[in-house]
Structures are given as structure tokens and as C-alpha cells.
Amino acid sequence: MTDVQPGGIYPITGIYSFGRGLIKRPAIQGNETSYQRMARLRAGQIVMSKLNAWEGALAVVDEPFGDTYVSPEYPVFSINSENAHVGYVEHLLTWPELWSRLTPRGSMVRRKRTTPSTLLATEVPLPDLAEQRRVADKLDAAMSRITQFATLREYSSQLADQYMDSLFRPIEDQLSLSVALRPSSDFVDVEPDDNYQTAGILNRGRGLFHRPVISGSDTKYPRYNRLHTGQFVYSKLFGWEGSLAVVPAEFEGIHVSHEFPTFDIDPSVADVEYMTHLARWSGLHDALKDKGTGMGSRRQRVNVDRLLATTVPLPSLPEQRRIARQLSVVRRTTEAGAEQTAQVAALRPALLNAAFSGQL
């Protein structure tokens, strides 16, 4: 531990949960913290968050984080090189089974802390050093390939977004959304004894998602708006960050609150498939960022009039269909890639389980 000097400068390190490693935080002056002492990290040590160790907030310190500081809430440990190989330990700390062994018992789990003695008393698989090195080498190679795959998929997704932008942005025919959209709601009274499947909208044009079924007696809303396939829907509260979508068939009849206005798309003006892609376009999301009302970004709402007044690229129907066909091909490819990414990501815990049960 190092005594904190009021005039000293201290680069601070934090820890991500779920085994995602360390994060550099802004440096602070000694007079900006209430801590009288902080620990200076050295490469090869282990650092843990007392508060979140049970959800994977612990890691081996690598070189870029040497000579940075953590508060007393982050205990630091040295690795006994006679018994443990640093590469093996590094993977061990990302093992979900270890986190579960550190999980505090009883109520109010999120307020409980993992003490250094708890960590040190936790039993883990620890074969001889030669076997540790072998396992670490195997995991290094496998995890490197998984990371490389994820990086390539992310790059592919970025290219898809750039391609979408290259199709929408040059369009000279700009019309307000009021030309294509007509407000259309299907409100139903909420009955206390009925259950309602509800939905929300992800930001950045990522579409609708199912919320849990809720009983009418458990909601404050007297009415729900019922969605219909092919409608345009958005969130008043988060429209400014891209929470808008065209309703796909699997959300037919799903319920949303009055905070999610719905619109019919005029087929004489706009193609539904084209509007589906337009709802995903970052250019439209950017255009809505200054359409909110209210104080503070998180309180801003995009009301219906402001949404409908927003201008968008809206060429002729044949041109819309041509663009939509191209974007749909790209979309199917990226969605298939996303499924593959999820499957590959699931390999991480499977590999760790195999490694630490002697099956790798």
C-alpha cells in the first residue's frame, strides 16, 4: 500500500465484471480521494473487487496496468510461482464456476463483499506446473481464435452499416415522415385478471424484444396499444437514440404502452421493407437526437409531431424496393454471423469447464 499525497497524481484502474479484465480510469490527484492509502499494481499480480468478485470482477494485472493504483476495495495478491503458472491463473479467473464459488450466500447479495480470506480459502483445480502450462497454452490458442472470430464479425457488421449509409445518404429525394406514416393505434383496456405479452424496443435500430408476460393487476397502465405486423413503432423516451422499428410478424398482437406510438405505412408512398431498414439507419437516429423535449438527455421525449416532421430519404417506390432488396441480403448475412458469434462465444465457458475438469 502507498500513502496518498495531496499533490500526487494517481492513475486509477478498475475491473470489468464477467472476466473481461481491467480498465484504465482517469488519473486523480491525491486531494480528490478520501482514501489515505492505495495499492500500486505490478504486472503479474492478481487484483479483485470485493464488491463484484462473485460476478467475475477479478484479473491478473498485465503490463499496461503496471504502476497504476486501486483503492482498498480492490485487494491485491501475488502469485506463488512455485505452485501456480500465471497464464493458468489468468484463465482460471475467467471461469464462471470460480465466480459461483465466490458468490455470497443469503439475501442482499449485491451488498455483500468477497473478502481476501474468502478468495484464498476457495478451492480450485491446481495440477502440477507442467500440466498448468499445457492447459494454459491450449486455452491461449483457443481463446485467441475465438477473439479473432469476434473481431472479424464486428468488422463485418461495421461494413454492413457503412454499406447502408452509402445507399441512404446520397438520396436526394428527402421527404418528412408524415408523408409515409399515419398514426394508427389499437388500444385495449387492461383487465386485472388477464395476462399481457409485452414488448420493448432496443436502441440503435436493433428492433423489438419480448418482455415478460405481465398480469393486468400488476401494471399501472389502464390501456395497452396492440402491435400489428408492418406498423412503424418507436419509443417516445428513447427515440432520440434509435429505439424505432417496423413490427415483424412474430410481434403481431403483442402489447406496448402509450409511450410507444404506432403508425401505418402508406403503401402508395413507402415500401415496408425499405422502412424496416430505414428504422435501423444511424442517419435517422442522428436526425432524432435534437428532436427531444424536456430537460436532460434521459428525460427527453420525441413526440409524434417532431417524429413526423423529420425528413428522411424517400425515393420512388421502385428505387426503395431495389435498395431494400440489397440491404435485406446484407441483413440476412449479418444475422447469420450474429448467430455464429453467439455460438462461438458459448465455447468460452465450455472450454474453461473442460480445462479445469481435466478434459482438455
Side-chain angles (χ1 to χ4, degrees):
M1 299 290 285
T2 300
D3 292 332
V4 174
Q5 303 299 322
I9 302 296
Y10 300 90
I12 301 299
T13 283
I15 313 177
Y16 286 115
S17 293
F18 308 110
R20 293 179 296 152
L22 302 178
I23 176 175
K24 283 190 177 180
R25 300 195 183 278
I28 62 170
Q29 284 192 323
N31 58 10
E32 294 177 325
T33 178
S34 60
Y35 294 114
Q36 297 181 343
R37 307 186 77 200
M38 290 195 294
R40 184 167 63 179
L41 300 179
R42 294 284 183 265
Q45 292 178 319
I46 293 173
V47 60
M48 171 187 86
S49 165
K50 290 182 183 178
L51 187 60
N52 297 315
W54 62 276
E55 61 178 11
L58 61 172
V60 171
V61 179
D62 49 16
E63 288 291 345
F65 292 91
D67 293 324
T68 62
Y69 292 81
V70 291
S71 79
E73 287 296 313
Y74 295 80
V76 181
F77 309 84
S78 295
I79 296 175
N80 183 346
S81 59
E82 293 183 2
N83 297 322
H85 175 59
V86 63
Y88 180 88
V89 173
E90 192 166 11
H91 288 294
L92 187 65
L93 298 182
T94 68
W95 187 31
E97 172 60 24
L98 171 61
W99 312 339
S100 70
R101 296 179 188 184
L102 298 175
T103 301
R105 303 303 178 211
S107 61
M108 305 300 289
V109 166
R110 286 204 168 270
R111 292 191 177 183
K112 295 186 178 182
R113 285 167 163 74
T114 300
T115 64
S117 59
T118 298
L119 178 69
L120 294 175
T122 301
E123 293 186 356
V124 295
L126 200 68
D128 61 55
L129 284 173
E131 177 63 5
Q132 289 182 45
R133 292 190 186 95
R134 187 193 71 80
V135 169
D137 288 344
K138 289 273 190 180
L139 288 174
D140 284 345
M143 297 303 181
S144 176
R145 288 183 177 276
I146 290 173
T147 299
Q148 184 181 31
F149 179 85
T151 300
L152 290 173
R153 292 311 317 174
E154 176 62 24
Y155 180 62
S156 175
S157 180
Q158 291 174 2
L159 288 177
D161 290 341
Q162 292 171 10
Y163 181 64
M164 176 184 290
D165 197 62
S166 74
L167 292 179
F168 282 135
R169 202 166 291 280
I171 296 174
E172 296 181 356
D173 297 317
Q174 300 282 322
L175 297 173
S176 67
L177 280 170
S178 62
V179 174
L181 303 180
R182 299 286 182 270
S184 177
S185 302
D186 181 13
F187 284 110
V188 295
D189 292 331
V190 172
E191 301 294 339
D193 296 332
D194 288 344
N195 293 322
Y196 297 88
Q197 175 68 66
T198 59
I201 312 178
L202 296 168
N203 64 1
R204 292 181 281 123
R206 292 178 294 154
L208 290 158
F209 66 95
H210 288 287
R211 293 188 184 277
V213 173
I214 187 170
S215 169
S217 60
D218 291 333
T219 179
K220 64 181 180 180
Y221 297 112
R223 297 192 304 167
Y224 272 133
N225 186 13
R226 191 158 47 192
L227 299 176
H228 295 291
T229 304
Q231 286 184 318
F232 188 97
V233 59
Y234 83 104
S235 164
K236 287 183 182 179
L237 187 58
F238 297 113
W240 61 275
E241 58 179 24
S243 292
L244 52 161
V246 171
V247 179
E250 59 266 30
F251 283 85
E252 172 66 33
I254 302 298
H255 300 88
V256 293
S257 78
H258 66 278
E259 291 287 349
F260 295 81
T262 49
F263 309 82
D264 289 335
I265 297 172
D266 186 343
S268 69
V269 177
D271 177 73
V272 170
E273 189 178 1
Y274 177 88
M275 295 298 291
T276 299
H277 292 294
L278 190 67
R280 297 170 175 147
W281 181 43
S282 61
L284 175 55
H285 308 162
D286 292 341
L288 292 173
K289 284 182 178 177
D290 64 349
K291 302 295 185 184
T293 59
M295 298 296 293
S297 63
R298 288 277 163 194
R299 293 186 176 182
Q300 290 190 16
R301 280 173 164 76
V302 178
N303 64 37
V304 169
D305 290 341
R306 287 174 180 260
L307 174 82
L308 293 178
T310 302
T311 57
V312 297
L314 207 62
S316 66
L317 282 171
E319 180 64 5
Q320 288 181 44
R321 293 177 184 126
R322 184 190 69 82
I323 291 171
R325 284 194 298 271
Q326 294 184 40
L327 290 176
S328 291
V329 170
V330 174
R331 183 72 182 178
R332 285 192 292 271
T333 302
T334 55
E335 288 177 346
E339 292 178 5
Q340 291 174 347
T341 300
Q343 293 169 358
V344 170
L347 289 175
R348 288 182 183 271
L351 282 167
L352 293 170
N353 287 336
F356 300 127
S357 62
Q359 300 174 26
L360 187 63

